[in-house]
């Protein structure tokens, strides 16, 4: 069968499993044809995939086997130790398969190899060798599609050579073949304390970037305003020249971006981004009092808008300016996420009303939202969002707000995922008795629901759970009750009785009250994965349970 499988079919299968290193290894050993198709996937991103399972020494020596005699001589002259015998020919030109280059991981691998195989005592001594390797990659890799600059100062190999790494990154983009190597760059990530000029050079090299991820500052306690301003200005330049940018991820921006209009200037730069941008994602961004809605009015194809740990609490609420309501902003939006972010409810409801029934994924876990605002928000969602596939929300315990979910569930008959969360202060999660509500919830769950994730501390008897399943038409594949710490053997029996044939994941991580026999029974369920409390041994649970 393996010999008769068409190459294109096999390629598509391998492409789908390209992150499964063990499977790729096994496929490479089937026969010569399979090996030739598999090796490019294995060596597409060796420093992030292969390095997890392959020693740096072996990984680097495979590359050295394809080095020219001149490159070998340069490395030998830089090292004090006599070189071990390394083959000068390899089965494949491995560097030609390189498509995703994480510079920090590559430096890590080369440095580890050099320190292990020579008498060098400092990573500073390895910098010339690192440069040789990177030059080899740029010269011989035909097209790098993903380039990652990531300064992680927790890594002991990088902490002492910040300037050296910046110099390496600079040289990487200015080598003779850099224009050809990075011309068709699709993904660019710059994280940490990188030199802002890297963005300027990238704008000169590549005009086809589809995804940009930028982190502006690395530590909120380190104030380097000129450096941050340089990053923002050069990011504007980089975005301005792109023709196909569809994903923009911006992290760690304070004081609204420090400029007159700051981070929002990026969204008003050019008509190109207005037509191409589909995903806009902010994390740890402070918008101050700048008008975000006005800045995104021309993003005609924006489908996904995400805020995580952001602050839009000072956003102006003058939505009537510039005839905003008549322009139907966010007309392509289908995915809106407000997670752990501060936002004025009028602004949030305005965005929901603009997107209306186009929304299929909605996460409204906004911070500092009060009882009356939450009631208003949930009512607007139930009236205007009828096509949700995924819905996540906060429910404030002890305020009898759970019934407000029922109209939303009834009006969204295709809902597949429901997340019920509770905003907490200082991790103080309030318990809530849901014995009366649980059967009603089961009755209102649409038959399409497959994932139920409860991130609050629910208290319920196993009889109520049994009625919940009896009333429910949903065949849950994922049930998460992570914080429900009073799950006992009877609850597990009820879950298995009603869900055994379709449940694939059960999260009861917060519980410590089940017996060893029940735990053992769960482990025997072939198609069920159970996430349990990692700090408590089942044998200890067994002893505690029997003492009660």
């Amino acid at each position: 069968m393996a010999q008769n499988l068409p190459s294109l079919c096999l390629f598509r299968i391998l492409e789908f499993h390209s992150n499964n290193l063990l499977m790729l290894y096994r496929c490479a050993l089937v026969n010569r044809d399979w090996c030739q198709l598999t090796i490019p996937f294995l060596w597409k991103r060796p420093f992030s995939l292969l390095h997890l399972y392959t020693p740096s020494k072996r990984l680097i020596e495979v590359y050295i086997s394809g080095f020219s005699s001149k490159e070998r001589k340069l490395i030998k002259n830089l090292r004090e130790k006599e070189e071990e015998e390394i083959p000068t020919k390899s089965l494949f030109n491995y560097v030609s398969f390189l498509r995703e280059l994480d510079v920090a991981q590559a430096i890590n691998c080369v440095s580890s190899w050099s320190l292990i195989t020579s008498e060098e005592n400092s990573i500073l001594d390895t910098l010339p060798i690192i440069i040789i390797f990177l030059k080899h990659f740029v010269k011989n890799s035909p097209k790098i599609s993903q380039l990652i600059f990531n300064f992680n100062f927790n890594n002991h190999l990088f902490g002492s050579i910040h300037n050296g790494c910046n110099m390496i990154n600079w040289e990487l983009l200015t080598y003779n073949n850099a224009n050809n190597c990075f011309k068709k760059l699709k993904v660019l990530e710059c994280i940490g304390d990188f030199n802002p000029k890297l963005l300027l050079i990238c704008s000169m090299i590549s005009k086809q970037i589809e995804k940009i991820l930028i982190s502006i500052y690395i530590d909120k306690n380190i104030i380097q305003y000129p450096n941050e301003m340089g990053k923002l200005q050069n990011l504007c330049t980089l975005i301005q020249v792109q023709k196909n940018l569809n994903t923009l991820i911006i992290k760690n921006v304070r004081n609204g971006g420090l400029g007159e209009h700051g981070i929002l200037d990026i969204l008003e730069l050019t008509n190109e981004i207005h037509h191409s941008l589909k995903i806009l994602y902010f994390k740890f961004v402070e918008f101050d009092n700048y008008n975000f809605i006005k800045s995104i009015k021309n993003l005609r194809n924006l489908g996904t808008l995400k805020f995580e740990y952001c602050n839009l609490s000072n956003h102006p609420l003058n939505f009537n300016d510039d005839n905003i309501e008549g322009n139907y902003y966010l007309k392509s939006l289908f995915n809106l996420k407000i997670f752990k972010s501060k936002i004025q409810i009028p602004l949030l409801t305005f965005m929901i009303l603009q997107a209306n029934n186009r929304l299929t994924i909605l996460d409204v876990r906004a911070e500092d939202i009060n009882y009356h605002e939450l009631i208003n928000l949930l009512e607007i969602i139930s009236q205007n969002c009828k096509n949700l596939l995924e819905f996540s929300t906060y429910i404030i315990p002890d305020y009898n707000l759970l019934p407000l979910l029922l109209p939303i569930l009834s009006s969204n008959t295709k809902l597949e995922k429901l997340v019920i969360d509770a905003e907490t202060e200082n991790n103080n999660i309030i318990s809530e008795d849901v014995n009366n509500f649980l059967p009603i919830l089961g009755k209102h769950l649409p038959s399409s629901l497959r994932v139920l994730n409860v991130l609050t501390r629910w208290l319920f008897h196993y009889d109520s759970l049994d009625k919940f399943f009896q009333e429910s038409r949903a065949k849950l594949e994922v049930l998460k009750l992570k914080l429900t710490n009073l799950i006992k053997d009877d609850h597990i029996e009820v879950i298995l009785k009603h869900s055994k044939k379709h449940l694939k994941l059960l999260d009861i991580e917060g519980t410590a009250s089940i017996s060893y026999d029940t735990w053992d029974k769960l482990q025997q369920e072939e198609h069920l994965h159970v996430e349990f409390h990692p700090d408590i041994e089942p044998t200890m649970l067994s002893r505690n349970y029997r003492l009660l």
Side-chain angles (χ1 to χ4, degrees):
M1 180 177 177
Q3 293 177 348
N4 297 327
L5 187 65
S7 296
L8 181 59
C9 292
L10 178 57
F11 176 84
R12 294 303 182 192
I13 293 171
L14 294 172
E15 186 178 39
F16 182 79
H17 294 282
S18 59
N19 292 326
N20 189 333
L21 187 65
L22 181 59
M23 194 207 79
L24 292 176
Y25 266 132
R26 289 172 176 172
C27 290
L29 298 175
V30 173
N31 57 39
R32 180 170 180 167
D33 292 336
W34 281 51
C35 182
Q36 288 179 334
L37 287 172
T38 304
I39 290 298
F41 287 104
L42 278 170
W43 289 85
K44 179 181 178 180
R45 46 178 179 153
F47 302 110
S48 56
L49 182 63
L50 274 177
H51 182 51
L52 296 174
Y53 306 92
T54 306
S56 295
K57 184 175 184 294
R58 174 60 182 157
L59 188 63
I60 296 304
E61 287 179 352
V62 168
Y63 275 125
I64 293 178
S65 66
F67 274 20
S68 65
S69 57
K70 181 180 180 181
E71 290 170 325
R72 284 170 166 269
K73 186 176 180 180
L74 286 173
I75 292 178
K76 184 176 182 179
N77 292 338
L78 290 169
R79 291 158 62 85
E80 299 176 2
K81 186 177 179 179
E82 190 68 25
E83 293 297 323
E84 298 178 6
E85 188 64 31
I86 299 176
T88 56
K89 292 184 179 180
S90 55
L91 294 175
F92 298 93
N93 182 16
Y94 292 97
V95 72
S96 66
F97 305 132
L98 182 64
R99 293 294 181 271
E100 301 177 17
L101 177 59
D102 187 320
V103 180
Q105 289 180 341
I107 292 174
N108 196 346
C109 285
V110 176
S111 300
S112 298
W113 166 79
S114 185
L115 293 173
I116 291 171
T117 60
S118 72
E119 297 177 358
E120 294 161 350
N121 296 318
S122 170
I123 189 174
L124 292 172
D125 298 329
T126 69
L127 289 178
I129 297 175
I130 292 170
I131 291 174
I132 293 173
F133 274 87
L134 293 180
K135 280 185 176 180
H136 178 77
F137 296 150
V138 171
K139 180 180 178 180
N140 296 282
S141 180
K143 302 295 177 189
I144 299 290
S145 61
Q146 181 168 340
L147 183 60
I148 302 173
F149 298 109
N150 188 350
F151 288 91
N152 181 2
F153 291 103
N154 293 324
N155 190 319
H156 69 281
L157 289 177
F158 299 140
S160 62
I161 58 164
H162 171 229
N163 292 332
C165 285
N166 260 323
M167 179 268 293
I168 289 173
N169 292 334
W170 180 275
E171 292 200 9
L172 177 70
L173 295 172
T174 55
Y175 292 148
N176 291 334
N177 197 48
N179 284 335
N180 181 56
C181 183
F182 301 114
K183 184 177 181 180
K184 295 187 177 180
L185 192 66
K186 301 297 183 184
V187 179
L188 175 65
E189 298 182 16
C190 294
I191 304 170
D193 194 17
F194 61 90
N195 190 327
K197 291 183 179 179
L198 290 179
L199 300 178
L200 184 61
I201 299 175
C202 288
S203 69
M204 300 176 182
I205 294 176
S206 179
K207 308 293 189 294
Q208 306 297 325
I209 299 177
E210 298 176 359
K211 176 182 177 181
I212 295 177
L213 187 157
I214 299 295
S215 177
I216 303 301
Y217 73 84
I218 187 171
D219 189 338
K220 64 181 181 180
N221 297 316
I222 300 176
I223 301 177
Q224 296 179 337
Y225 291 132
N227 197 35
E228 293 176 19
M229 280 299 296
K231 291 179 182 179
L232 282 171
Q233 291 169 356
N234 290 340
L235 176 59
C236 289
T237 303
L238 176 65
I239 291 174
Q240 198 166 8
V241 300
Q242 301 308 316
K243 306 298 182 183
N244 301 306
L245 184 65
N246 60 49
T247 302
L248 179 59
I249 303 173
I250 300 177
K251 298 182 178 182
N252 302 314
V253 178
R254 50 190 164 191
N255 302 327
L258 312 174
E260 182 181 354
H261 299 99
I263 197 68
L264 298 184
D265 273 344
I266 294 172
L267 305 178
E268 301 182 57
L269 281 174
T270 173
N271 286 329
E272 294 292 346
I273 192 175
H274 296 161
H275 291 285
S276 64
L277 195 66
K278 296 180 180 179
I279 299 174
L280 184 57
Y281 173 24
F282 297 99
K283 188 171 184 178
F284 296 111
V285 175
E286 297 177 8
F287 288 92
D288 281 358
N289 60 348
Y290 300 124
N291 194 324
F292 175 79
I293 290 293
K294 185 177 179 181
S295 297
I296 64 172
K297 63 182 179 181
N298 292 320
L299 298 179
R300 301 177 182 86
N301 294 310
L302 187 65
T304 298
L305 178 59
K306 294 183 180 182
F307 301 91
E308 290 190 16
Y309 305 98
C310 294
N311 188 355
L312 292 92
S313 59
N314 295 322
H315 191 283
L317 299 178
N318 51 335
F319 300 136
N320 291 323
D321 288 357
D322 298 327
N323 196 24
I324 286 179
E325 292 185 348
N327 286 332
Y328 296 104
Y329 287 12
L330 308 176
K331 63 181 181 180
S332 299
L333 191 69
F334 67 88
N335 183 354
L336 176 61
K337 181 174 184 178
I338 313 290
F339 180 72
K340 301 284 186 181
S341 296
K342 296 180 180 180
I343 185 171
Q344 296 183 69
I345 295 304
L347 173 60
L348 176 54
T349 55
F350 175 80
M351 290 192 285
I352 291 174
L353 290 172
Q354 289 291 303
N356 210 316
N357 283 327
R358 290 182 298 275
L359 282 175
T360 57
I361 302 174
L362 179 60
D363 187 336
V364 288
R365 284 178 281 181
E367 296 285 282
D368 297 337
I369 182 172
N370 63 42
Y371 167 74
H372 297 289
E373 289 178 328
L374 185 54
I375 290 178
N376 181 52
L377 177 62
L378 293 176
E379 288 177 348
I380 287 175
I381 292 171
S382 65
Q383 294 168 7
N384 295 276
C385 302
K386 309 291 186 180
N387 295 306
L388 294 178
L389 300 178
E390 298 181 13
F391 178 58
S392 305
T393 183
Y394 279 142
I395 294 293
I396 303 173
D398 295 337
Y399 277 96
N400 197 31
L401 295 179
L402 283 169
L404 293 175
L405 281 176
L406 302 181
I408 297 175
L409 298 176
S410 298
S411 60
N412 286 277
T413 57
K414 298 179 181 179
L415 191 68
E416 298 176 359
K417 180 179 179 180
L418 174 63
V419 179
I420 303 174
D421 205 342
E423 184 180 5
T424 60
E425 295 182 5
N426 301 321
N427 295 322
N428 183 24
I429 303 172
I430 303 173
S431 299
E432 187 167 20
D433 188 334
V434 295
N435 277 299
N436 294 328
F437 174 75
L438 207 53
I440 302 173
L441 175 65
K443 187 176 182 178
H444 282 79
L445 290 183
S447 59
S448 57
L449 195 73
R450 294 295 177 263
V451 179
L452 176 58
N453 186 2
V454 178
L455 293 171
T456 184
R457 187 166 286 140
W458 279 7
L459 304 178
F460 51 86
H461 194 263
Y462 69 89
D463 284 340
S464 297
L465 184 63
D466 189 52
K467 292 178 182 178
F468 164 82
F469 282 111
Q470 290 178 21
E471 295 287 349
S472 176
R473 295 173 294 119
K475 296 186 180 298
L476 294 177
E477 297 178 3
V478 177
L479 178 59
K480 295 188 176 184
L481 303 168
K482 182 177 181 180
L483 301 177
T484 306
N485 59 349
L486 293 180
I487 295 290
K488 297 182 179 179
D489 289 3
D490 291 336
H491 294 89
I492 300 299
E493 290 293 335
V494 170
I495 292 172
L496 291 179
K497 181 178 73 172
H498 291 284
S499 306
K500 186 173 183 179
K501 294 182 179 180
H502 47 79
L503 192 64
K504 298 177 182 178
L505 171 62
L506 175 63
D507 187 343
I508 51 172
E509 187 176 319
T511 190
S513 304
I514 64 173
S515 67
Y516 178 80
D517 291 338
T518 298
W519 171 250
D520 187 54
K521 185 176 181 179
L522 286 170
Q523 294 302 297
Q524 293 177 14
E525 297 291 332
E526 287 186 17
H527 304 292
L528 177 62
H529 174 71
V530 181
E531 293 183 1
F532 193 62
H533 200 300
D535 300 326
I536 301 178
E537 291 292 334
T539 52
M540 293 299 295
L541 288 175
S542 175
R543 296 189 191 109
N544 293 336
Y545 185 84
R546 290 166 183 168
L547 287 173
L548 294 176

